[in-house]
Structure formats: C-alpha cells, structure tokens
C-alpha cells in the first residue's frame, strides 16, 4: 500500500492551505480507499485496512464516513472530479464547435487512460459491483446519467449545426461512447498507439458519416 503522502501522479492529497485539517483527513481516507480498490478490487476493500493505512483508528474513520457506502460515494466523487479536471496537453487552442468539444473530451479521456489507468480500473470495478449491490448502484447510476447528459448536449448541438449525421440518435450515441471508454481498461493485448487509432476511427464515424436515411 502506498504512503498517502506519496501517492501516484494525479492522485496526491491536496495540501492547499485552504483545506482544513478535517478536509485533509477526509481526503486522505478517500485516496487510501481508492488505492486499496486499485490493488485489491472492491471486494478486497476493508474499512479496517483503510483506517490502518491512513494512520487512523477505525473510530476516527467512522467519524468521517459513518458507512462504507459513504466512503465509496466519496471515492466516486473523487474519480469523477479527477476525470473532469485532468486535461490532455493542448489539442487545439480554441474549442469553438461541438465537434471541437467532443474531440477535446476524447483527447482528455485518452490522456487519462494512459497517465492514470487506475482511475478507470477502479471505476470499472465499481460498475461491476453495482450490478449486484443495491447500495452502490444509485451512486454509479447518477454518474452515468450525468456523463450521458453532457455527451448528449454536445451531440444534439453538433447534429443541429450539421457537424454530425442528421439521423444520429444523441442518446444511443452517448451510450455507445460511454461503453467504448469504459471497456478500454479491460481490453487485453493492445499495442502502443492502438487506443489513439481506435478513438480516431470513432471520430471519423461521427464526423464524416453524414448520409441520411
């Protein structure tokens, strides 16, 4: 288990002076839980292990997170925030159109998959667990709905502007994109550069197939 003070790139404890000691301890527990899930899977997450690896007793952990589900909710919030805020190196100077926005979104996801793969592995672990855990399901469901809504807004605007096919279904296309990226962490035997080529093919389907029924 990694020392919470020396966590991997992109997942460090935020030591900003604006954080209170309470917030810092909460963040430490969230990151320790995240790394335990990355190493052992959701099934291997034990509250006692989280407390021990964070250097706290279990009573202190329960003060911050009264239930395991509340801790998992905070881990999901952290993962979503990470995915939203981590940006790929500049792909283009200005995002002017829905096509630009989607291209930048794809570039960010590819960058994150390459630089912080554990973020997506843990999210995939949680998605699988949510299928048989009634407490986790609504947490992941809301996250999915927010992502789908974001993509649909881009796709609907792009279709209106003639950038995407007129017969494109924004809802189904958003779900297809989500499934594509969710599946990447478990895709075996990929060679360097293949992910970028796959995303490039996906963009060509969206941007260039403009025929209508």
């Amino acid at each position: 288990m990694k020392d919470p003070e020396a966590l991997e790139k992109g997942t460090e404890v935020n030591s900003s002076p604006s954080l209170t000691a309470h917030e810092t301890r909460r963040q430490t527990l969230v990151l320790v839980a995240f790394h335990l899930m990355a190493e052992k899977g959701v099934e291997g997450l034990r509250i006692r292990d989280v407390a021990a690896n964070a250097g706290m007793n279990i009573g202190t952990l329960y003060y911050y997170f009264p239930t395991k589900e509340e801790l998992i909710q905070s881990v999901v919030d952290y993962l979503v925030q990470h995915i939203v805020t981590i940006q790929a190196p500049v792909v283009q100077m200005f995002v002017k159109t829905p096509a630009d926005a989607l291209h930048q979104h794809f570039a960010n996801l590819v960058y994150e998959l390459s630089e912080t793969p554990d973020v997506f592995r843990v999210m995939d672990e949680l998605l699988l667990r949510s299928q048989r855990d009634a407490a986790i399901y609504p947490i992941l469901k809301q996250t999915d709905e927010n992502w789908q809504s974001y993509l649909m807004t881009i796709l609907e605007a792009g279709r209106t502007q003639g950038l995407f096919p007129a017969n494109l279904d924004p809802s189904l296309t958003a779900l297809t994109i989500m499934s594509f990226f969710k599946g990447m962490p478990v895709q075996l035997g990929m060679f360097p550069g293949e992910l970028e080529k796959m995303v490039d093919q996906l963009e060509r389907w969206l941007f260039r197939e403009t025929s209508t029924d």
Side-chain angles (χ1 to χ4, degrees), residues 72-91:
I72 290 174
Q73 172 71 74
S74 290
V75 171
V76 171
D77 291 343
Y78 162 74
L79 296 175
V80 171
Q81 184 65 20
H82 179 89
I83 292 169
V84 168
T85 58
I86 297 299
Q87 300 289 305
V90 176
V91 174

Side-chain angles (χ1 to χ4, degrees), residues 4-5 13 20-33 46-65 71:
E5 298 300 326
V13 172
T20 66
H22 176 92
E23 291 167 332
T24 299
R25 284 192 288 270
R26 276 182 60 91
Q27 190 177 61
T28 296
L29 289 166
V30 168
L31 291 177
V32 168
R46 300 288 182 269
I47 291 297
R48 289 186 182 277
D49 291 341
V50 175
N53 280 284
M56 304 178 195
N57 62 52
I58 196 166
T60 301
L61 184 150
Y62 279 124
Y63 169 75
Y64 293 104
F65 299 102
L71 177 58

Side-chain angles (χ1 to χ4, degrees), residues 98 148-158 170:
Q148 183 182 9
S149 177
Y150 170 74
L151 289 170
M152 285 178 62
T153 298
I154 295 174
L155 294 165
E156 287 169 351

Side-chain angles (χ1 to χ4, degrees), residues 2-200:
K2 298 178 180 67
D3 184 334
E5 298 300 326
L7 297 171
E8 67 172 317
K9 175 185 176 184
T11 57
E12 302 92 343
V13 172
N14 186 340
S15 57
S16 167
S18 64
L19 287 181
T20 66
H22 176 92
E23 291 167 332
T24 299
R25 284 192 288 270
R26 276 182 60 91
Q27 190 177 61
T28 296
L29 289 166
V30 168
L31 291 177
V32 168
F34 161 71
H35 282 287
L36 283 171
M37 283 192 275
E39 293 172 8
K40 302 181 178 181
V42 178
E43 305 293 343
L45 182 65
R46 300 288 182 269
I47 291 297
R48 289 186 182 277
D49 291 341
V50 175
N53 280 284
M56 304 178 195
N57 62 52
I58 196 166
T60 301
L61 184 150
Y62 279 124
Y63 169 75
Y64 293 104
F65 299 102
T67 67
K68 186 175 182 179
E69 288 70 33
E70 289 183 54
L71 177 58
I72 290 174
Q73 172 71 74
S74 290
V75 171
V76 171
D77 291 343
Y78 162 74
L79 296 175
V80 171
Q81 184 65 20
H82 179 89
I83 292 169
V84 168
T85 58
I86 297 299
Q87 300 289 305
V90 176
V91 174
Q92 49 203 36
M93 291 302 294
F94 301 103
V95 175
K96 297 181 179 179
T97 70
D100 292 340
L102 194 63
H103 180 69
Q104 184 65 55
H105 183 59
F106 286 177
N108 292 342
L109 292 173
V110 169
Y111 179 75
E112 291 162 29
L113 278 162
S114 300
E115 295 297 314
T116 55
D118 280 353
V119 168
F120 287 85
R121 291 193 188 106
V122 171
M123 189 64 85
D124 276 0
E125 283 269 352
L126 288 166
L127 285 166
L128 289 172
R129 175 65 180 267
S130 71
Q131 301 302 310
R132 58 183 186 279
D133 190 321
I136 296 178
Y137 179 82
I139 299 172
L140 274 295
K141 180 65 172 174
Q142 185 61 57
T143 300
D144 265 13
E145 288 176 352
N146 291 342
W147 188 11
Q148 183 182 9
S149 177
Y150 170 74
L151 289 170
M152 285 178 62
T153 298
I154 295 174
L155 294 165
E156 287 169 351
R159 184 181 62 179
T160 299
Q161 295 177 27
L163 300 171
F164 305 136
N167 61 349
L168 177 142
D169 184 313
S171 178
L172 292 179
T173 303
L175 290 173
T176 300
I177 292 169
M178 291 163 64
S179 297
F180 176 90
F181 283 102
K182 285 178 185 179
M184 285 300 100
V186 295
Q187 182 65 41
L188 302 177
M190 288 182 62
F191 294 101
E194 283 191 323
L195 174 56
E196 290 82 356
K197 291 177 181 177
M198 292 168 66
V199 172
D200 182 60

